[in-house]
Amino acid sequence: MNIDLRHLRCFLTVAQEGGFTAAGRRLHLTQPTLTRNIRTLEQTLGVKLFERSTRRTELTEKGKALQEAVAPLLRQLDSALRDLQKGEKLRIGFSWGLPEGLSRLAARFSEETGVGVEFIRCDTPQAGLDTGEADLGLLRSASIPKGLRGVHLYEEDRIAAVPASWRLAERTELDWADLTEVPLIINTVSGTTFPDMWPAGRRPTVGAECRNFDEWLEQVAVGLGVGTAPVSAALRYTHPAVRLVPLTGAPTVPAYLAHPSHGAHPQAARFAHQVWQAAGELHP
């Protein structure tokens, strides 16, 4: 027989609630949808499961028999499915600077689904998605790379990181255009600032290149050049030899939570969607 689990769950909920209206609220289904599911189940089985009147809904003898048989089976199935999820992990890759509030959303997700969420630092262009180390990646880029899909979380301002020994560090504010006059430190792997972001003919020279945030900070500290980064990351990773100077006129840094378009972890899209829905709780 072609009976879906949703038909049986709808049947049990109506039986437990004693009516379609209460069952619909519990299942978050409209009454017509719930009625169609019950009718489909009755037609497939060829028996009447409920006696309906304008005042109440009661199980028939066949309905009572089905409830007694199916209820323990579905409880056993739900228990087996929960056991399968135990120990399952959803790995979130990041290169630096997780937004405040993301760990709280991850804990909420784990409580709801039974799937643990762990954060792993991956110094790769796609925060571990490109190497298979992560199931989702927190990306700071102009757009989501090809082969990935995801959600846009927020836009973040930039701040300038200046060697503390430079006179430029005495400034109370820098403009994006001011950076064309000084060497720029480039994080080629997970950075967000590159010379081609300035107009042709007015681009800064490259003072040094590096491959992760720690190297970037150290190269600024020794005076090889100036860097820019999202405000949250720069404030979180400070250095006594680096001065953080407010930056005006700079393009913002988008933040995305992305996963592979194909072959993604079964819970990846669900987690990304829940984080997107609660993006207002995130603070860069």
Side-chain angles (χ1 to χ4, degrees), residues 172-184:
T172 58
E173 184 179 89
L174 288 172
D175 188 79
W176 183 249
D178 295 334
L179 302 186
T180 61
E181 307 297 326
V182 293
L184 192 66

Side-chain angles (χ1 to χ4, degrees), residues 18 34 50 58 75 96 100 105 112 115-116 150 164 181 187 222 232 236 254 257 265 270-272 283:
L34 184 56
F50 293 99
E58 294 183 337
R75 284 196 298 270
W96 34 264
E100 182 183 343
L105 296 179
E112 292 174 358
V115 177
E181 307 297 326
N187 178 349
V222 299
S232 64
R236 193 169 299 176
L257 192 58
H265 188 288
R270 179 178 178 181
F271 180 77
H283 302 284

